[in-house]
Amino acid sequence: MLIAPNHEPAEFPRKMATMCGISGVVQETGQVGPVLYDSLKRLEYRGYDSVGEASIVDGRLLVKKEKGKIDEVERELRISDLPGLVGIGHTRWATHGAPSRENAHPQTDCNQTVAVVHNGIIENYMEIKQELEAKGHRFKSRTDTEIVAHLVEENLKQAPGLVEAVRQTSKRLTGAYALALISVTEPDKIVCVRRESPLVIGAGINANYLASDIPAFLPRTKSVILLEDDEMAVLTHNRVRVMKVGSGEEVLREPMVVEWGVETATKGGYPHFMMKEIYEQPLTVRNALRTSPMYIDLMASAVTRAKRIFMLACGTSYHACLAATYAFANLAKVEVTPVVASEFIESYGALIDGDTVVLTVSQSGETADTLTAVRSAKDRGATILGVTNVMGSTLTRLSDVYVGQNSGPEMGVAATKTFTAQYSVLLKIAVALARKGGTLSRARMEELERGFEELPKWISAALSNGGGIVKRIVERNADRFSFCFLGRGISVATALEGRLKLLELSYLPAIAYPAGESKHGFISVVDDGYPVLFIAPHDEAYSKIIGNVMEMKARHAHVISIIEEDDTQVANLSDETILIPKGIPSLLTPIVFVLPLQLFAYYMAVRKGYNPDFPRNLAKSVTVH
Ligand code: F6R
């Protein structure tokens, strides 16, 4: 099988989500340092807050690791000099524990016999950690990963060898992980395991490699073996053995030849990072929903105690707050005021005191407007809660409690996967609040829990059904000067986000409104063929939005509607439709209904000849006022 460069979303990379990069090499001659260093440089786009490598030399584990970017750590520790024939490496995007030497990978066991690198989130690490501590294991870091090294150490006491010890360990873990381990007990091999996090193996000559992503070893081999979920592999310098974690049974897997260049491979075969990040959302949303329940609960407790609650953010993050405001009111009966950060102190400074909670949302954690508002609120005695994608960012340092949204680095300037992840985390806080307040019925809770489970599937379906349709709609409407996005209820936030994506990438003066408000002004803009996009899930606002669609039709607008797949009523009123799987609980609709709007903006930018990854005048992190 051949994997060729692709300009449409390819089947192969769909499950990739960028969050930490792992790599490994086992070779017959030479030293692992230069190979690992080179592969980590190529994986730096997956994470860059700390770096580390481990190898085995003379029966002892050698570990070099430090907080910082790869080149900084290289200058300090010369990681490219690491000797040994077998080694593993890691570039980190912190999820559990802030960036620090202790929390950098590889993580090791008590006796420095086992080293592990990990990409993903281990959900049941607390329970396992307590169990191991009771057996006398001593932990050095705050990571979820370290429990793997100790559990393998423990299992090695009974198991016939490293492979079996890793297999037994893997069976205990819940969550997402790509793990690679080495042990002084068997210094000729690397054992790796995969569940839901990406892991690929490169089959070389007298050397074999593993990595989170193909570019890591592409200059050394184009021969790739893909691991499926719940499979593991044992790499020696002349053999790759793949087996099932459950049964230990061996699996025959032929290598495939990759025809990608390094640049295409870094984008997972997609033409732009933005497209890659849009298609990562089944996984990034799932990762966001895995945010530690303990911290979510701490946040909910702080909110419960507060007299006044604000949500603070800019741009896309503000739209996540808007949708969340609706969820807080609707689910938890908690009133929250969402505010654009640059307006916060002028508008609400006089109200802030020790009884105020400011729930701040910032992907980068470094947005100047957001941080200024947070500092002022903190000076006035407010409690700061932070939701961010960058552990160790200024927002995490200013926050009393913070949680990571676990999206991995977002390279496209326009926020896509981080929007859906932010809203997912905020929704978890709303659920925790509702539980505390006793406002959540059992039926609603079950509906939401089922919804959280189904979300990755709905997202995948919306993306695979929607991609081609959205592209054709863009083609048909590419010459329009302006577009309007309308929604009601929770979909107002989705409409605003669709508008923001389109205008920032295509430079079109787009409009967004609560649909009900559109007759108080916007409607005068509408003339023959003016394109209006309706976000119309089958929720509480549905019957009212039908009236709004009719109003637009009566003015000869060109109606493009995003609707559930069995919605014939709005479909009959529309000129073009984009279908979304039916049955999504209304509070989850922003996560799925925003996807075609992200694609719409993407295809429009490409159609106009603009690079969607680098829109003019915009920076990924706006650190000026
Ligand atoms: C839009 C976009 C920006 C950011 C805004 C806030 O696609 O990316 O509007 O959402 O600059 O950035 P953070 O979340 O980093 O504070």
Side-chain angles (χ1 to χ4, degrees), residues 314-317 362-364 367 413-415 500-501 504 622:
C314 301
T316 290
S317 303
S362 172
Q363 185 283 129
S364 61
T367 300
V413 164
L500 174 59
K501 288 290 89 89
E504 70 178 329
V622 184

Side-chain angles (χ1 to χ4, degrees), residues 46 57 76-77 117 223 247 252 279 284 336 444 533 543 587:
R46 304 180 61 87
V57 179
E76 201 178 321
L77 299 179
V117 288
S223 186
S247 60
L252 274 182
Y279 278 85
T284 46
V336 182
R444 189 104 194 259
L533 284 94
S543 57
L587 289 175

Side-chain angles (χ1 to χ4, degrees), residues 279-348:
Y279 278 85
E280 280 176 358
Q281 289 174 101
L283 212 58
T284 46
V285 165
R286 174 164 283 176
N287 282 340
L289 293 170
R290 287 191 167 114
T291 302
S292 159
M294 192 175 90
Y295 287 101
I296 295 282
D297 207 61
L298 268 176
M299 287 196 160
S301 301
V303 169
T304 309
R305 285 194 301 270
K307 291 217 177 92
R308 255 177 308 279
I309 306 138
F310 294 98
M311 277 200 208
L312 194 74
C314 301
T316 290
S317 303
Y318 172 70
H319 296 152
C321 292
L322 272 186
T325 305
Y326 185 94
F328 273 50
N330 200 275
L331 208 59
K333 315 274 180 277
V334 170
E335 186 186 337
V336 182
T337 311
V339 195
V340 164
S342 53
E343 291 298 322
F344 185 55
I345 295 303
E346 283 80 356
S347 304
Y348 296 102

Side-chain angles (χ1 to χ4, degrees), residues 313-319 361-368 370 387-390 395 405 410 412-416 418 422 497 500-501 504-505 615 618-622:
C314 301
T316 290
S317 303
Y318 172 70
H319 296 152
V361 181
S362 172
Q363 185 283 129
S364 61
E366 300 294 350
T367 300
T370 307
V387 175
T388 181
N389 194 27
V390 185
L395 179 59
Q405 54 180 91
E410 192 170 58
V413 164
T416 51
T418 53
Q422 284 166 341
E497 178 56 10
L500 174 59
K501 288 290 89 89
E504 70 178 329
L505 298 181
L618 290 174
K620 184 69 191 159
S621 178
V622 184

Side-chain angles (χ1 to χ4, degrees), residues 21-76:
I22 70 170
S23 77
V25 55
V26 43
Q27 53 194 16
E28 189 179 20
T29 54
Q31 65 182 80
V32 291
V35 183
L36 288 176
Y37 172 73
D38 183 51
S39 66
L40 292 176
K41 278 297 291 175
R42 291 168 196 284
L43 290 172
E44 198 167 17
Y45 73 93
R46 304 180 61 87
Y48 38 75
D49 63 45
S50 355
V51 188
E53 294 176 355
S55 69
I56 300 171
V57 179
D58 298 331
R60 290 183 51 211
L61 215 51
L62 257 183
V63 180
K64 290 187 178 191
K65 60 180 191 174
E66 195 42 273
K67 171 182 163 178
K69 293 211 164 79
I70 297 181
D71 283 338
E72 292 161 7
V73 177
E74 166 66 1
R75 274 195 295 279
E76 201 178 321

